Amino acid sequence: MRDRRHFHKIFALLGPATDRESSKQYFENAGYKVEIFKNPEVFFDELKTAENTIVVLETFALKGKLSEWVQKLSSINARVPWIVVAPISQYSIIASYQNRGLVDFIQNDQPYMQERLLWAIDRQAQKEELLLSQKRLQEELILARQSQLIQDQEESTDFNSILQKKFRENWMKQKPFTLLALSLDDESEVQDFWGQDVLKKAHELLLDLCVRRWGLRDVQFVDGCIYVMITKTTKEVLNEAVELQTQLQDQGRQLLGFRISLSGGIAESYIHTDQASELRRLTDEALRHMQAKGGGRVGIPKAIRGGFRGDVSTNLG
């Protein structure tokens, strides 16, 4: 672990009785980058711009209640891990914050406090490295799936020909065939506020979730819109689209830090139209109609014959 400690930074708030300089020297000699504070206001100010930090709090440094400190820490970074240094008499109070970022409790009324604190910091640094490697692996898998999808589509014929073929095959087998069109809402706003790189990652995440759910062969990315060709009824596809939106929102918050909104359009063969070309036009029209109404919903056109009937809009948010 020692050879990797320099990748992490200790951000510590220590009590007035603790020797700040000797503590800093101890952890720097161990290989960590270190910032040590005794004033909580200065500590919080600096923490706002700090990265790759492991927070250490000695409760003797607090001028107010622990709950106020935890609330302020969460408002700066809800996911930052923190280690507390306190006497054993405070353990029952501190343990109640186990689900609010607290990752370890170190007694300061026992010998070898610094050594035990170093072990706790090492353990947390290893956890952070594992989470980072898992995130990088997930990003690599998304890129690999996207690359495979693009390659498969380049080797195949154009989308309209694929749609026509699947439309005909399902008619001959007398199976339902539904086309689903999906697109992110407010792309220009996302780009302006979060940046082009985040918008690109949102597209990649949506594409990856679609491929995982429906497979490479049935997903097409055309003109900024994702089309999914499914041998299921409109009602079944609608339920799956709602589940996808929930996944997209959950993973979007974790990976990108904001709620991703998605709209869709659905049309089924011989329920909404008898022609493959019309199937695409109807899904595009339903999708645009939902986005014009504020997004976050899926649109279904009016049915021309019996089945799951139209003019239905479902809130996906």
Side-chain angles (χ1 to χ4, degrees):
M1 182 64 209
R2 184 182 178 87
D3 61 335
R4 302 194 306 279
R5 285 173 177 165
H6 65 281
F7 291 114
H8 304 272
K9 189 171 189 178
I10 299 172
F11 230 70
L13 179 64
L14 302 182
T18 304
D19 189 333
R20 182 167 56 182
E21 291 306 315
S22 68
S23 296
K24 183 173 183 178
Q25 186 175 359
Y26 175 81
F27 291 110
E28 284 181 342
N29 288 342
Y32 281 105
K33 298 173 186 175
V34 186
E35 290 284 349
I36 295 182
F37 304 86
K38 289 193 175 180
N39 185 319
E41 295 306 315
V42 177
F43 168 82
F44 283 120
D45 237 17
E46 295 294 324
L47 185 60
K48 290 175 183 176
T49 55
E51 295 180 352
N52 298 327
T53 56
I54 299 172
V55 171
V56 176
L57 163 71
E58 187 173 26
T59 54
F60 289 152
L62 298 179
K63 296 177 181 178
K65 295 180 179 179
L66 179 62
S67 59
E68 295 171 358
W69 186 93
V70 175
Q71 186 176 9
K72 195 161 186 178
L73 179 64
S74 297
S75 69
I76 294 173
N77 186 339
R79 293 186 295 272
V80 67
W82 52 283
I83 299 168
V84 73
V85 179
I88 190 63
S89 59
Q90 295 181 357
Y91 177 76
S92 59
I93 298 172
I94 292 165
S96 64
Y97 291 94
Q98 205 77 48
N99 62 345
R100 298 287 297 276
L102 175 65
V103 293
D104 222 325
F105 176 91
I106 305 299
Q107 291 179 236
N108 60 0
D109 51 3
Q110 293 288 320
Y112 306 109
M113 189 273 289
Q114 284 187 329
E115 288 82 355
R116 287 184 285 112
L117 179 56
L118 179 60
W119 295 337
I121 292 169
D122 280 348
R123 287 194 297 273
Q124 186 54 38
Q126 288 172 334
K127 288 180 186 176
E128 293 295 306
E129 289 177 7
L130 179 61
L131 288 172
L132 185 61
S133 70
Q134 289 173 339
K135 183 179 177 182
R136 284 174 178 164
L137 178 60
Q138 186 173 13
E139 289 174 349
E140 288 173 6
L141 286 172
I142 290 173
L143 290 174
R145 287 193 181 96
Q146 185 182 29
S147 175
Q148 182 63 49
L149 178 62
I150 292 170
Q151 181 182 338
D152 286 353
Q153 290 181 357
E154 287 174 348
E155 292 171 356
S156 67
T157 54
D158 68 282
F159 171 56
N160 288 331
S161 299
I162 296 170
L163 180 60
Q164 182 73 46
K165 181 182 177 183
K166 286 183 177 290
F167 188 96
R168 188 169 56 251
E169 285 175 351
N170 282 278
W171 174 78
M172 293 176 67
K173 294 175 183 176
Q174 295 189 326
K175 290 185 176 181
F177 177 67
T178 301
L179 181 65
L180 167 66
L182 295 169
S183 180
L184 298 178
D185 295 326
D186 306 317
E187 291 189 0
S188 59
E189 291 183 21
V190 172
Q191 180 172 325
D192 291 344
F193 188 82
W194 295 96
Q196 178 62 35
D197 186 52
V198 171
L199 177 60
K200 181 182 176 184
K201 288 181 178 179
H203 276 293
E204 290 171 353
L205 177 59
L206 172 58
L207 184 57
D208 179 64
L209 290 175
C210 288
V211 170
R212 287 192 196 189
R213 179 174 287 270
W214 293 297
L216 278 170
R217 299 294 176 185
D218 293 332
V219 176
Q220 295 280 321
F221 186 71
V222 184
D223 298 330
C225 182
I226 291 177
Y227 293 95
V228 188
M229 297 162 284
I230 315 170
T231 308
K232 290 182 179 179
T233 65
T234 301
K235 187 173 183 179
E236 291 171 317
V237 175
L238 178 61
N239 290 335
E240 292 185 358
V242 173
E243 290 174 3
L244 178 81
Q245 172 69 342
T246 302
Q247 281 185 289
L248 184 67
Q249 288 181 351
D250 290 345
Q251 294 193 29
R253 286 191 186 97
Q254 293 174 16
L255 297 174
L256 305 178
F258 71 100
R259 176 183 177 276
I260 300 174
S261 180
L262 178 70
S263 287
I266 295 176
E268 185 180 339
S269 64
Y270 302 101
I271 300 297
H272 300 108
T273 177
D274 295 335
Q275 298 179 19
S277 59
E278 271 293 284
L279 203 64
R280 180 176 179 183
R281 186 190 69 78
L282 288 170
T283 56
D284 287 342
E285 191 177 85
L287 169 61
R288 288 193 298 269
H289 182 61
M290 289 300 101
Q291 288 185 319
K293 293 179 72 172
R297 293 182 289 182
V298 59
I300 304 171
K302 187 175 181 180
I304 60 173
R305 59 175 57 89
F308 187 68
R309 290 195 60 83
D311 283 343
V312 179
S313 60
T314 297
N315 186 352
L316 291 181

